[in-house]
Amino acid sequence: MISQANNPWAEPFRAIAASGVELCELEMISPIFDLKGHQSNQDNNGSKLPPGRLLILSPPRSGSYYLCRRLWLDGLGMPLEYLNSLHLKAMAKRLRLPLQPCRWRDRPSDRLEQTLSQISSLRSCNGWFALKLQPSQLQPWCRNKDTPIDLLGTVFADWTVIPLLRRDWFRQLASLIISRASGAYDLGLNFSWCDGAGGELLTPRRLSQARRQLEQDLKPIITWLGKHPECEPLWMEELLAWDQGRYADGMLRRLPDLDNDGHQQLRLKLGRIPLQRREDPFATAKSSLNKRLAKQLRQLEDAQPPEAISALLD
């Protein structure tokens, strides 16, 4: 593990992240961003901050990276996909936990809670621990008849949850097909690009795989929303149509714990630091291809959203 005290790059690197400059997720998994003790749960005066736990629940290609960077800049934890297998492996030595939940003899939900506890000890900020999660990432932690929705109801029962969704199913499906074909998942591959990944981009196999992946992440979220009708989803389209005041009001409504006196500075800071996106030389090509592919998908019977998902999006 990189020593915080002896690493001259630690503070400048953190300062870059705090300034709003865009970093990829694998960069932010670095131990340089680990916080401990007073750094994670006390304010500048040494007062202990009220704890908060935040879950961003989203399917792929729904703008979750953008939301997580916004929350990071707002000081609401350091949200990343910590249960993504790549990220767990990157943090394995720091966590000192086995990476194969199926080998554990006690309840997987207990091990999941222990894992989250260890991650939060390194990645809480201003009293907040935040996690970005695709429901399918809970599958390795399920045993017997357990499902991701069961774990959402037990392990995350007392967390504050923000379901993040995207209204345009076809643009989301097109984005996922392109990402799977090109490998550009924004996991350090922001600038990876290939036109169609070689050969025909839209094939029955690629369509089937991407649709199945979206469904397996969307259905548990829809089920969760059905059990929590008081919870209001956040839509990617509204998030990207940026308005600082509306964003701040929405976060205050979704995060009632911010009413605690210890979080006054966080309330004032919401949305005030602009997120500086990296210049992507392929942005125009990606957007154009996504629109063309989405137009094709709208005409295909096999690309239509399932009824339950369609009802939610309507």
Side-chain angles (χ1 to χ4, degrees):
M1 176 175 173
I2 297 176
S3 167
Q4 305 293 329
N6 299 324
N7 181 7
W9 297 102
E11 289 307 319
F13 200 31
R14 286 201 197 116
I16 289 173
S19 71
V21 174
E22 185 181 33
L23 297 172
C24 73
E25 289 204 35
L26 283 180
E27 288 172 323
M28 293 187 286
I29 283 293
S30 164
I32 287 174
F33 291 107
D34 290 351
L35 298 176
K36 291 186 177 180
H38 70 280
Q39 292 178 302
S40 64
N41 58 19
Q42 294 182 9
D43 61 19
N44 294 332
N45 299 320
S47 301
K48 189 170 183 179
L49 294 166
R53 292 189 294 180
L54 175 60
L55 176 66
I56 297 97
L57 193 59
S58 69
R61 319 313 297 172
S62 59
S64 57
Y65 172 85
Y66 184 86
L67 175 60
C68 287
R69 288 295 286 125
R70 274 258 47 94
L71 295 170
W72 183 305
L73 295 176
D74 292 337
L76 291 169
M78 307 167 77
L80 293 173
E81 275 183 25
Y82 291 113
L83 296 184
N84 180 304
S85 60
L86 286 175
H87 297 169
L88 275 177
K89 289 177 182 177
M91 298 186 76
K93 291 183 179 179
R94 286 176 274 164
L95 298 178
R96 298 182 181 178
L97 287 174
L99 292 176
Q100 300 294 330
C102 60
R103 296 181 183 177
W104 298 332
R105 295 182 180 179
D106 51 357
R107 294 175 59 192
S109 59
D110 293 339
R111 282 290 184 169
L112 176 55
E113 289 178 345
Q114 291 178 37
T115 300
L116 291 172
S117 177
Q118 289 205 30
I119 296 173
S120 69
S121 70
L122 299 176
R123 290 307 182 102
S124 292
C125 180
N126 299 316
W128 283 85
F129 174 56
L131 169 71
K132 179 174 79 168
L133 179 73
Q134 296 174 13
S136 58
Q137 291 168 351
L138 293 176
Q139 197 60 53
W141 307 86
C142 295
R143 270 195 189 165
N144 300 325
K145 296 182 180 179
D146 287 343
T147 64
I149 192 65
D150 295 324
L151 291 180
L152 285 174
T154 54
V155 176
F156 300 97
D158 58 350
W159 289 50
T160 300
V161 180
I162 298 181
L164 177 64
L165 301 173
R166 186 170 182 172
R167 292 190 186 278
D168 194 329
W169 158 271
F170 297 102
R171 289 292 297 271
Q172 186 173 11
L173 182 59
S175 179
L176 185 56
I177 290 172
I178 295 168
S179 296
R180 291 176 61 98
S182 66
Y185 282 96
D186 290 334
L187 293 173
L189 302 173
N190 313 52
F191 305 122
S192 296
W193 183 243
C194 46
D195 188 5
E200 186 180 356
L201 177 61
L202 182 58
T203 65
R205 185 166 181 263
R206 283 180 175 160
L207 171 58
S208 174
Q209 290 176 338
R211 179 191 169 105
R212 184 167 61 249
Q213 184 178 351
L214 269 187
E215 285 186 38
Q216 70 180 4
D217 281 316
L218 270 169
K219 286 183 176 179
I221 297 175
I222 293 172
T223 301
W224 189 92
L225 284 168
K227 294 180 178 181
H228 301 83
E230 76 287 353
C231 188
E232 172 187 2
L234 176 63
W235 298 95
M236 171 184 169
E237 289 80 358
E238 296 170 5
L239 182 66
L240 296 184
W242 176 251
D243 180 277
Q244 189 268 331
R246 188 165 55 193
Y247 167 80
D249 290 343
M251 285 298 108
L252 290 171
R253 187 172 63 253
R254 290 181 170 89
L255 305 176
D257 287 345
L258 286 177
D259 287 336
N260 292 323
D261 292 339
H263 291 317
Q264 181 179 4
Q265 292 301 316
L266 292 181
R267 292 198 300 271
L268 296 174
K269 186 181 177 182
L270 286 172
R272 293 193 177 275
I273 302 177
L275 176 58
Q276 302 173 36
R277 303 306 301 269
R278 286 177 173 176
E279 191 68 32
D280 184 352
F282 305 110
T284 301
K286 288 178 181 178
S287 178
S288 176
L289 180 56
N290 182 284
K291 289 178 182 178
R292 294 201 310 270
L293 184 55
K295 185 176 181 180
Q296 286 181 265
L297 293 171
R298 293 178 200 278
Q299 310 303 318
L300 297 178
E301 183 177 350
D302 290 343
Q304 302 307 305
E307 185 176 345
I309 294 174
S310 183
L312 175 68
L313 300 180
D314 292 341

